[in-house]
Amino acid sequence: MSETTIRFDSFFHKSDEDCFDTIRKAKEILKDECLLLGHYYQRNEVFQFADITGDSLKLSEQAAKTKAKYIVFCGVHFMAEVADMLTSDEQIVILPDSKAGCSMADMANRPAVEKAWESLNSVLDADAKVMPITYINSAANLKAFCGEKGGTICTSSNAEKILSWALSQRQKVLFFPDQHLGRNTAHALGIPLDKMAVWNFRKPNGGLTSEQIEKAQVLLWDGWCSVHQRFAPEHIDDYLAQYPDAKVIAHPEACFEVCQKADVIGSTSKILNTIEASAPGSRWLVATELNLVNRLHEQFKHENKVVDFMAPTVSMCSTMFRTDPQHLAWVMDNLVNGKIVNQITVDKKTTEYANQALQRMFEITHAKAKV
Ligand code: SF4
Protein backbone atom coordinates (compact mmCIF):
# COMPACT_ATOMS: atom_id res chain seq x y z
CA MET A 1 0.00 0.00 0.00
CA SER A 2 1.35 3.41 -0.99
CA GLU A 3 1.97 6.00 1.76
CA THR A 4 0.98 8.92 -0.40
CA THR A 5 -1.82 9.74 -2.79
CA ILE A 6 -1.04 8.71 -6.35
CA ARG A 7 -0.96 11.80 -8.56
CA PHE A 8 -2.98 11.98 -11.76
CA ASP A 9 0.22 12.77 -13.71
CA SER A 10 1.20 9.12 -13.51
CA PHE A 11 -2.02 8.12 -15.34
CA PHE A 12 -2.13 10.95 -17.85
CA HIS A 13 -0.06 9.14 -20.51
CA LYS A 14 -1.26 5.60 -19.78
CA SER A 15 -2.96 3.77 -22.62
CA ASP A 16 -6.64 2.91 -22.37
CA GLU A 17 -5.71 -0.81 -22.20
CA ASP A 18 -3.40 -0.25 -19.22
CA CYS A 19 -6.13 1.73 -17.50
CA PHE A 20 -8.68 -1.02 -18.19
CA ASP A 21 -6.34 -3.48 -16.42
CA THR A 22 -6.01 -1.17 -13.41
CA ILE A 23 -9.79 -0.68 -13.19
CA ARG A 24 -10.49 -4.43 -13.50
CA LYS A 25 -7.96 -5.30 -10.81
CA ALA A 26 -9.27 -2.57 -8.49
CA LYS A 27 -12.84 -3.84 -8.89
CA GLU A 28 -11.69 -7.38 -8.04
CA ILE A 29 -9.93 -6.16 -4.89
CA LEU A 30 -12.60 -3.72 -3.69
CA LYS A 31 -15.54 -6.02 -4.53
CA ASP A 32 -18.82 -4.86 -2.88
CA GLU A 33 -17.03 -2.06 -1.05
CA CYS A 34 -17.15 -0.02 -4.23
CA LEU A 35 -20.18 0.65 -6.44
CA LEU A 36 -19.55 2.13 -9.85
CA LEU A 37 -22.51 4.08 -11.27
CA GLY A 38 -22.55 4.96 -14.98
CA HIS A 39 -24.84 7.48 -16.66
CA TYR A 40 -26.15 6.55 -20.11
CA TYR A 41 -24.22 9.46 -21.69
CA GLN A 42 -20.83 8.12 -20.61
CA ARG A 43 -18.40 6.99 -23.27
CA ASN A 44 -18.20 3.20 -23.70
CA GLU A 45 -14.61 2.93 -22.45
CA VAL A 46 -15.93 3.96 -19.02
CA PHE A 47 -19.55 2.77 -19.26
CA GLN A 48 -18.41 -0.87 -19.64
CA PHE A 49 -17.20 -0.91 -16.01
CA ALA A 50 -20.40 0.38 -14.41
CA ASP A 51 -22.13 -1.94 -11.92
CA ILE A 52 -25.37 -0.05 -12.47
CA THR A 53 -26.25 2.11 -15.46
CA GLY A 54 -29.18 4.46 -15.85
CA ASP A 55 -30.53 7.96 -16.13
CA SER A 56 -30.47 10.54 -13.33
CA LEU A 57 -33.59 9.19 -11.60
CA LYS A 58 -32.52 5.55 -11.59
CA LEU A 59 -28.99 6.36 -10.46
CA SER A 60 -30.18 8.64 -7.64
CA GLU A 61 -32.51 5.87 -6.43
CA GLN A 62 -29.66 3.36 -6.54
CA ALA A 63 -27.40 5.75 -4.63
CA ALA A 64 -30.08 6.00 -1.94
CA LYS A 65 -30.21 2.18 -1.59
CA THR A 66 -26.58 1.12 -1.72
CA LYS A 67 -24.57 0.10 1.34
CA ALA A 68 -21.26 0.31 -0.56
CA LYS A 69 -18.57 2.29 1.23
CA TYR A 70 -17.36 3.97 -1.96
CA ILE A 71 -19.60 5.19 -4.76
CA VAL A 72 -17.67 6.12 -7.86
CA PHE A 73 -20.03 8.20 -9.97
CA CYS A 74 -19.27 8.22 -13.68
CA GLY A 75 -21.52 11.15 -14.44
CA VAL A 76 -21.37 14.86 -13.73
CA HIS A 77 -21.00 16.96 -10.60
CA PHE A 78 -24.67 17.45 -9.65
CA MET A 79 -25.23 13.67 -9.81
CA ALA A 80 -22.38 13.03 -7.38
CA GLU A 81 -23.82 15.71 -5.07
CA VAL A 82 -27.19 13.93 -5.10
CA ALA A 83 -25.47 10.64 -4.29
CA ASP A 84 -23.61 12.23 -1.38
CA MET A 85 -26.81 13.73 0.02
CA LEU A 86 -28.70 10.43 -0.18
CA THR A 87 -26.01 8.28 1.42
CA SER A 88 -24.79 8.04 5.01
CA ASP A 89 -21.93 10.08 6.47
CA GLU A 90 -19.70 7.00 6.33
CA GLN A 91 -20.18 6.49 2.60
CA ILE A 92 -17.86 8.31 0.23
CA VAL A 93 -18.83 9.60 -3.20
CA ILE A 94 -16.14 10.13 -5.81
CA LEU A 95 -16.32 11.92 -9.16
CA PRO A 96 -13.40 10.70 -11.31
CA ASP A 97 -12.89 14.14 -12.90
CA SER A 98 -13.89 16.94 -10.56
CA LYS A 99 -14.28 19.30 -13.53
CA ALA A 100 -17.07 17.19 -15.03
CA GLY A 101 -19.89 19.69 -14.56
CA CYS A 102 -23.08 20.42 -16.50
CA SER A 103 -23.33 23.61 -18.55
CA MET A 104 -27.11 23.69 -18.05
CA ALA A 105 -26.83 23.36 -14.27
CA ASP A 106 -24.41 26.30 -14.31
CA MET A 107 -27.08 28.54 -15.86
CA ALA A 108 -28.88 28.88 -12.53
CA ASN A 109 -27.30 29.72 -9.19
CA ARG A 110 -28.63 30.46 -5.73
CA PRO A 111 -28.18 34.28 -5.77
CA ALA A 112 -29.94 34.54 -9.15
CA VAL A 113 -32.84 32.33 -8.03
CA GLU A 114 -33.19 34.23 -4.74
CA LYS A 115 -33.23 37.48 -6.70
CA ALA A 116 -35.97 36.07 -8.94
CA TRP A 117 -37.96 35.07 -5.87
CA GLU A 118 -37.63 38.60 -4.44
CA SER A 119 -38.82 40.04 -7.75
CA LEU A 120 -41.79 37.68 -7.77
CA ASN A 121 -42.57 38.70 -4.19
CA SER A 122 -42.75 42.33 -5.27
CA VAL A 123 -45.59 41.38 -7.63
CA LEU A 124 -47.38 38.60 -5.72
CA ASP A 125 -47.02 36.48 -2.59
CA ALA A 126 -44.46 34.05 -4.04
CA ASP A 127 -44.29 31.78 -0.99
CA ALA A 128 -48.04 31.17 -1.18
CA LYS A 129 -48.57 31.26 -4.94
CA VAL A 130 -45.40 29.97 -6.64
CA MET A 131 -43.97 26.45 -6.38
CA PRO A 132 -40.24 26.27 -7.13
CA ILE A 133 -39.23 23.18 -9.10
CA THR A 134 -35.65 22.49 -10.01
CA TYR A 135 -34.55 19.97 -12.59
CA ILE A 136 -32.17 17.48 -10.98
CA ASN A 137 -29.51 19.02 -13.26
CA SER A 138 -28.81 21.79 -10.76
CA ALA A 139 -26.53 22.60 -7.84
CA ALA A 140 -27.31 21.16 -4.40
CA ASN A 141 -28.06 24.60 -2.94
CA LEU A 142 -30.84 25.09 -5.50
CA LYS A 143 -32.35 21.77 -4.46
CA ALA A 144 -32.10 23.07 -0.89
CA PHE A 145 -33.88 26.28 -1.95
CA CYS A 146 -36.77 24.17 -3.26
CA GLY A 147 -36.80 22.12 -0.05
CA GLU A 148 -36.97 25.28 2.07
CA LYS A 149 -39.83 26.71 0.01
CA GLY A 150 -41.94 23.52 -0.01
CA GLY A 151 -40.97 22.75 -3.60
CA THR A 152 -39.31 19.75 -5.14
CA ILE A 153 -37.08 18.34 -7.87
CA CYS A 154 -37.81 16.60 -11.14
CA THR A 155 -35.97 14.45 -13.63
CA SER A 156 -36.89 14.03 -17.27
CA SER A 157 -38.57 10.71 -16.30
CA ASN A 158 -40.97 12.13 -13.73
CA ALA A 159 -41.39 15.76 -14.86
CA GLU A 160 -45.11 15.41 -15.75
CA LYS A 161 -45.99 13.94 -12.35
CA ILE A 162 -43.97 16.59 -10.53
CA LEU A 163 -45.40 19.52 -12.49
CA SER A 164 -48.98 18.22 -12.03
CA TRP A 165 -48.37 17.94 -8.31
CA ALA A 166 -46.87 21.45 -8.15
CA LEU A 167 -49.85 23.01 -9.93
CA SER A 168 -52.25 21.17 -7.64
CA GLN A 169 -50.55 22.85 -4.67
CA ARG A 170 -49.96 26.43 -5.87
CA GLN A 171 -51.14 28.69 -8.70
CA LYS A 172 -47.79 28.99 -10.46
CA VAL A 173 -44.49 27.23 -10.92
CA LEU A 174 -41.00 28.68 -11.21
CA PHE A 175 -39.15 25.99 -13.18
CA PHE A 176 -35.35 26.06 -13.46
CA PRO A 177 -32.86 25.75 -15.06
CA ASP A 178 -34.12 24.08 -18.30
CA GLN A 179 -36.79 26.06 -20.12
CA HIS A 180 -37.28 23.30 -22.73
CA LEU A 181 -38.07 20.52 -20.27
CA GLY A 182 -40.41 22.93 -18.48
CA ARG A 183 -42.18 24.01 -21.66
CA ASN A 184 -42.47 20.54 -23.20
CA THR A 185 -43.79 19.11 -19.94
CA ALA A 186 -46.28 21.91 -19.31
CA HIS A 187 -47.54 21.62 -22.88
CA ALA A 188 -48.01 17.86 -22.46
CA LEU A 189 -50.19 18.66 -19.43
CA GLY A 190 -52.39 20.92 -21.56
CA ILE A 191 -51.04 24.30 -20.45
CA PRO A 192 -51.16 26.71 -23.39
CA LEU A 193 -47.96 28.45 -24.50
CA ASP A 194 -49.42 31.88 -23.69
CA LYS A 195 -49.62 30.80 -20.03
CA MET A 196 -45.84 30.26 -19.98
CA ALA A 197 -43.24 33.03 -19.77
CA VAL A 198 -39.47 32.86 -19.99
CA TRP A 199 -37.67 34.30 -16.97
CA ASN A 200 -34.61 36.06 -18.35
CA PHE A 201 -32.42 36.02 -15.25
CA ARG A 202 -30.06 38.61 -16.76
CA LYS A 203 -32.77 41.30 -16.72
CA PRO A 204 -34.61 43.05 -13.87
CA ASN A 205 -37.86 41.22 -13.03
CA GLY A 206 -36.83 38.47 -15.44
CA GLY A 207 -37.57 40.87 -18.30
CA LEU A 208 -41.31 40.56 -17.55
CA THR A 209 -43.98 43.10 -16.65
CA SER A 210 -46.16 42.59 -13.56
CA GLU A 211 -49.05 41.69 -15.88
CA GLN A 212 -46.99 39.03 -17.64
CA ILE A 213 -45.97 37.54 -14.28
CA GLU A 214 -49.59 37.56 -13.07
CA LYS A 215 -50.78 35.91 -16.28
CA ALA A 216 -48.14 33.15 -16.45
CA GLN A 217 -48.88 29.77 -14.92
CA VAL A 218 -45.37 28.47 -15.56
CA LEU A 219 -42.29 30.69 -15.38
CA LEU A 220 -39.44 29.10 -17.31
CA TRP A 221 -35.85 29.91 -16.39
CA ASP A 222 -33.88 30.91 -19.48
CA GLY A 223 -31.54 27.90 -19.41
CA TRP A 224 -30.87 25.06 -21.84
CA CYS A 225 -28.66 22.09 -22.58
CA SER A 226 -25.93 22.84 -25.10
CA VAL A 227 -26.17 19.27 -26.44
CA HIS A 228 -29.94 19.04 -26.93
CA GLN A 229 -30.36 22.53 -28.33
CA ARG A 230 -28.48 21.49 -31.47
CA PHE A 231 -31.42 19.48 -32.80
CA ALA A 232 -33.67 21.38 -35.20
CA PRO A 233 -37.01 20.64 -36.91
CA GLU A 234 -35.28 20.73 -40.33
CA HIS A 235 -33.21 17.70 -39.31
CA ILE A 236 -36.46 15.76 -38.90
CA ASP A 237 -37.90 17.04 -42.21
CA ASP A 238 -34.75 16.07 -44.12
CA TYR A 239 -34.64 12.61 -42.57
CA LEU A 240 -38.32 11.86 -43.14
CA ALA A 241 -38.01 12.97 -46.76
CA GLN A 242 -35.47 10.18 -47.15
CA TYR A 243 -37.09 7.61 -44.83
CA PRO A 244 -40.83 8.34 -44.63
CA ASP A 245 -41.52 5.29 -42.43
CA ALA A 246 -39.00 6.26 -39.76
CA LYS A 247 -40.12 7.16 -36.25
CA VAL A 248 -38.74 10.15 -34.36
CA ILE A 249 -38.01 10.17 -30.64
CA ALA A 250 -36.77 13.22 -28.73
CA HIS A 251 -35.53 13.95 -25.24
CA PRO A 252 -37.59 16.76 -23.63
CA GLU A 253 -34.45 18.89 -23.26
CA ALA A 254 -34.76 19.38 -27.04
CA CYS A 255 -36.65 22.50 -28.12
CA PHE A 256 -40.45 22.65 -28.40
CA GLU A 257 -40.45 22.63 -32.23
CA VAL A 258 -38.39 19.40 -32.33
CA CYS A 259 -40.53 17.72 -29.67
CA GLN A 260 -43.71 18.70 -31.50
CA LYS A 261 -42.50 16.88 -34.61
CA ALA A 262 -41.46 13.77 -32.66
CA ASP A 263 -43.59 10.61 -32.44
CA VAL A 264 -42.38 10.03 -28.89
CA ILE A 265 -40.93 12.41 -26.28
CA GLY A 266 -39.11 10.86 -23.36
CA SER A 267 -36.23 10.54 -20.94
CA THR A 268 -33.17 8.48 -21.80
CA SER A 269 -34.80 5.44 -20.13
CA LYS A 270 -37.97 5.91 -22.17
CA ILE A 271 -35.95 6.27 -25.37
CA LEU A 272 -34.14 3.01 -24.62
CA ASN A 273 -37.32 1.12 -23.66
CA THR A 274 -39.28 2.42 -26.66
CA ILE A 275 -36.65 1.36 -29.18
CA GLU A 276 -36.20 -1.97 -27.42
CA ALA A 277 -39.95 -2.67 -27.63
CA SER A 278 -40.26 -1.61 -31.28
CA ALA A 279 -40.67 -4.12 -34.10
CA PRO A 280 -37.60 -5.65 -35.73
CA GLY A 281 -36.61 -3.68 -38.81
CA SER A 282 -37.90 -0.36 -37.48
CA ARG A 283 -35.96 2.84 -38.04
CA TRP A 284 -35.50 5.59 -35.44
CA LEU A 285 -34.22 9.14 -35.57
CA VAL A 286 -33.16 10.08 -32.05
CA ALA A 287 -32.63 13.51 -30.49
CA THR A 288 -30.37 12.91 -27.52
CA GLU A 289 -26.71 12.61 -26.59
CA LEU A 290 -24.44 10.94 -29.15
CA ASN A 291 -22.83 8.28 -26.92
CA LEU A 292 -26.24 6.91 -25.98
CA VAL A 293 -27.47 6.94 -29.59
CA ASN A 294 -24.34 5.14 -30.81
CA ARG A 295 -24.77 2.52 -28.10
CA LEU A 296 -28.43 1.97 -29.05
CA HIS A 297 -27.39 1.65 -32.69
CA GLU A 298 -24.96 -1.15 -31.79
CA GLN A 299 -27.32 -2.79 -29.30
CA PHE A 300 -30.22 -3.16 -31.72
CA LYS A 301 -28.61 -3.64 -35.10
CA HIS A 302 -28.87 -7.45 -34.79
CA GLU A 303 -32.67 -6.98 -34.83
CA ASN A 304 -32.27 -4.98 -38.04
CA LYS A 305 -33.32 -1.85 -36.22
CA VAL A 306 -31.68 1.34 -37.41
CA VAL A 307 -31.00 4.00 -34.78
CA ASP A 308 -29.74 7.28 -36.22
CA PHE A 309 -28.56 10.44 -34.51
CA MET A 310 -30.56 13.56 -35.33
CA ALA A 311 -27.95 16.31 -35.70
CA PRO A 312 -25.62 16.41 -38.72
CA THR A 313 -22.73 17.50 -36.47
CA VAL A 314 -21.14 15.63 -33.57
CA SER A 315 -23.10 16.53 -30.45
CA MET A 316 -21.93 14.83 -27.32
CA CYS A 317 -21.87 15.97 -23.73
CA SER A 318 -18.34 17.33 -23.46
CA THR A 319 -18.43 17.41 -19.67
CA MET A 320 -19.51 13.74 -19.39
CA PHE A 321 -16.71 13.03 -21.86
CA ARG A 322 -14.16 14.34 -19.36
CA THR A 323 -14.50 11.07 -17.42
CA ASP A 324 -12.03 8.92 -19.31
CA PRO A 325 -10.35 5.58 -18.47
CA GLN A 326 -7.32 7.50 -17.14
CA HIS A 327 -9.35 9.37 -14.50
CA LEU A 328 -11.36 6.29 -13.56
CA ALA A 329 -8.20 4.16 -13.21
CA TRP A 330 -6.58 6.92 -11.14
CA VAL A 331 -9.39 7.14 -8.55
CA MET A 332 -9.77 3.34 -8.38
CA ASP A 333 -6.03 2.76 -7.92
CA ASN A 334 -6.02 5.30 -5.12
CA LEU A 335 -8.93 3.51 -3.42
CA VAL A 336 -7.00 0.24 -3.55
CA ASN A 337 -4.18 2.11 -1.82
CA GLY A 338 -6.53 3.45 0.84
CA LYS A 339 -6.51 6.98 -0.57
CA ILE A 340 -9.54 9.02 -1.53
CA VAL A 341 -9.30 11.54 -4.32
CA ASN A 342 -12.03 13.75 -5.77
CA GLN A 343 -14.52 13.17 -2.99
CA ILE A 344 -17.73 15.18 -3.47
CA THR A 345 -19.36 16.44 -0.29
CA VAL A 346 -22.34 18.65 0.40
CA ASP A 347 -22.59 20.51 3.72
CA LYS A 348 -25.13 19.36 6.34
CA LYS A 349 -27.55 22.28 6.13
CA THR A 350 -27.77 22.13 2.35
CA THR A 351 -28.18 18.36 2.53
CA GLU A 352 -31.00 18.62 5.07
CA TYR A 353 -33.13 20.94 2.92
CA ALA A 354 -32.20 19.36 -0.41
CA ASN A 355 -33.14 15.95 0.96
CA GLN A 356 -36.58 17.28 1.88
CA ALA A 357 -37.03 18.18 -1.79
CA LEU A 358 -35.57 14.85 -2.95
CA GLN A 359 -37.76 12.78 -0.62
CA ARG A 360 -40.79 14.74 -1.82
CA MET A 361 -39.77 13.90 -5.38
CA PHE A 362 -39.52 10.17 -4.60
CA GLU A 363 -42.92 10.20 -2.86
CA ILE A 364 -44.65 11.98 -5.76
CA THR A 365 -42.91 9.78 -8.34
CA HIS A 366 -43.99 6.55 -6.67
CA ALA A 367 -47.42 7.67 -5.47
CA LYS A 368 -50.19 5.51 -6.89
CA ALA A 369 -52.61 7.37 -9.16
CA LYS A 370 -56.00 7.94 -7.52
CA VAL A 371 -58.82 5.94 -9.18
S1 SF4 B 1 -26.20 16.48 -21.75
FE1 SF4 B 1 -26.68 18.63 -21.27
S2 SF4 B 1 -27.93 18.57 -19.42
FE2 SF4 B 1 -26.94 16.53 -19.62
S3 SF4 B 1 -25.07 16.71 -18.38
FE3 SF4 B 1 -24.50 17.26 -20.50
S4 SF4 B 1 -24.72 19.53 -20.57
FE4 SF4 B 1 -25.80 18.81 -18.74
Side-chain angles (χ1 to χ4, degrees):
M1 193 173 284
S2 165
E3 287 295 304
T4 53
T5 302
I6 305 162
R7 289 164 55 93
F8 179 66
D9 303 0
S10 52
F11 280 84
F12 186 74
H13 292 294
K14 279 201 176 171
S15 69
D16 284 2
E17 286 305 328
D18 283 351
C19 292
F20 295 162
D21 274 350
T22 305
I23 298 164
R24 263 186 227 112
K25 280 181 194 144
K27 280 177 69 96
E28 276 167 30
I29 294 166
L30 294 164
K31 296 196 173 70
D32 293 347
E33 252 196 326
C34 177
L35 180 74
L36 223 147
L37 298 177
H39 191 273
Y40 286 140
Y41 295 169
Q42 283 297 332
R43 50 163 96 190
N44 279 339
E45 302 92 302
V46 166
F47 191 80
Q48 62 177 326
F49 292 108
D51 299 304
I52 299 175
T53 60
D55 59 8
S56 302
L57 179 62
K58 182 176 169 194
L59 294 179
S60 60
E61 287 176 335
Q62 292 300 324
K65 279 184 202 155
T66 184
K67 297 280 177 276
K69 184 173 176 192
Y70 306 114
I71 295 138
V72 176
F73 212 126
C74 297
V76 291
H77 194 269
F78 73 82
M79 298 176 188
E81 281 188 334
V82 170
D84 181 59
M85 294 190 291
L86 291 173
T87 46
S88 71
D89 289 349
E90 290 71 41
Q91 290 172 290
I92 288 160
V93 178
I94 290 167
L95 187 67
D97 185 335
S98 58
K99 292 198 179 73
C102 163
S103 56
M104 177 208 283
D106 293 343
M107 289 180 191
N109 59 50
R110 179 95 186 206
V113 169
E114 282 178 349
K115 199 166 145 212
W117 203 255
E118 259 175 48
S119 303
L120 290 171
N121 257 325
S122 69
V123 176
L124 40 77
D125 181 357
D127 285 341
K129 293 187 174 169
V130 184
M131 186 66 82
I133 303 291
T134 186
Y135 191 18
I136 200 161
N137 299 33
S138 57
N141 61 6
L142 289 182
K143 296 180 175 81
F145 177 87
C146 290
E148 282 170 55
K149 299 287 182 193
T152 186
I153 296 162
C154 75
T155 71
S156 52
S157 304
N158 62 17
E160 282 191 27
K161 271 191 171 183
I162 298 291
L163 197 56
S164 296
W165 170 84
L167 289 169
S168 72
Q169 305 291 310
R170 295 186 194 162
Q171 291 172 12
K172 297 175 193 293
V173 164
L174 175 63
F175 189 96
F176 44 90
D178 184 20
Q179 60 167 298
H180 299 299
L181 177 64
R183 186 179 294 107
N184 288 320
T185 307
H187 184 265
L189 293 175
I191 297 168
L193 291 178
D194 67 0
K195 290 275 185 186
M196 304 181 210
V198 174
W199 187 273
N200 185 339
F201 54 89
R202 301 161 204 90
K203 293 187 175 172
N205 276 344
L208 300 173
T209 62
S210 300
E211 292 71 35
Q212 286 171 317
I213 292 172
E214 290 280 7
K215 186 184 170 195
Q217 212 177 344
V218 182
L219 293 155
L220 302 163
W221 197 262
D222 189 14
W224 64 84
C225 165
S226 50
V227 176
H228 289 85
Q229 73 153 4
R230 295 202 188 150
F231 306 116
E234 307 83 81
H235 302 150
I236 300 176
D237 297 340
D238 292 348
Y239 193 82
L240 291 180
Q242 220 180 334
Y243 306 107
D245 295 333
K247 295 280 181 214
V248 179
I249 188 162
H251 191 282
E253 286 174 21
C255 71
F256 182 71
E257 293 73 17
V258 164
C259 287
Q260 284 305 294
K261 279 184 178 265
D263 298 288
V264 184
I265 306 169
S267 65
T268 43
S269 291
K270 186 166 175 184
I271 291 172
L272 198 157
N273 295 337
T274 304
I275 295 175
E276 189 169 36
S278 65
S282 47
R283 178 180 278 274
W284 290 92
L285 181 66
V286 186
T288 195
E289 205 272 345
L290 183 63
N291 280 299
L292 173 66
V293 179
N294 284 344
R295 198 173 300 121
L296 294 176
H297 177 84
E298 287 302 313
Q299 191 176 337
F300 295 114
K301 67 182 182 192
H302 70 280
E303 295 177 33
N304 291 326
K305 292 178 191 173
V306 179
V307 180
D308 280 333
F309 183 63
M310 190 177 286
T313 52
V314 171
S315 180
M316 62 171 73
C317 179
S318 56
T319 46
M320 289 268 183
F321 198 70
R322 293 188 70 101
T323 303
D324 53 17
Q326 286 69 24
H327 281 88
L328 182 56
W330 171 57
V331 299
M332 296 294 281
D333 208 25
N334 268 300
L335 282 181
V336 168
N337 281 286
K339 303 286 178 214
I340 293 155
V341 287
N342 283 6
Q343 182 177 359
I344 302 297
T345 53
V346 179
D347 67 81
K348 274 201 178 336
K349 191 164 170 245
T350 304
T351 297
E352 185 190 329
Y353 285 116
N355 271 348
Q356 289 176 17
L358 280 164
Q359 292 310 332
R360 208 169 280 136
M361 174 185 85
F362 290 134
E363 281 162 24
I364 300 163
T365 306
H366 298 296
K368 294 237 170 13
K370 287 196 183 123
V371 282

